[in-house]
Amino acid sequence: MTEVQWNRLTAAELRDLAARDAIVMLPVASTEQHGPHLSTGVDMMLGAEGCRRIAVRVSKVRPCVVAPPVWMGLAEH
């Protein structure tokens, strides 16, 4: 399987992807409480995994890489 996670690739591999006009996906999610049964990072983890799964499929026809997730916002409870 082709690696699609940016932070698991070397600089040379990223340069090669850039030269091939790769798609870069940037997961963006909130950090918030979900009660006692889930961690505060669950939105970020789900968003990153969704992007990873899509990138694996897309990379079969076009180079694609997923950047590390960025958390935006904070839902205080």
Side-chain angles (χ1 to χ4, degrees):
M1 182 186 305
T2 302
E3 182 57 64
V4 296
Q5 292 182 295
W6 183 292
N7 54 1
R8 293 180 180 224
L9 296 168
T10 66
E13 291 168 326
L14 289 169
R15 279 191 298 274
D16 178 60
L17 286 166
R20 293 168 43 213
D21 200 26
I23 296 168
V24 177
M25 298 177 71
L26 177 61
V28 179
S30 178
T31 298
E32 59 186 80
Q33 295 177 352
H34 290 282
H37 65 295
L38 293 173
S39 69
T40 56
V42 73
D43 292 338
M44 185 178 62
M45 289 180 257
L46 290 174
E49 179 61 15
C51 286
R52 187 195 68 78
R53 290 180 185 201
I54 292 167
V56 166
R57 294 179 79 175
V58 169
S59 67
K60 292 176 183 176
V61 294
R62 179 163 174 196
C64 187
V65 64
V66 180
V70 175
W71 67 270
M72 291 289 290
L74 173 66
E76 296 184 31
H77 291 82

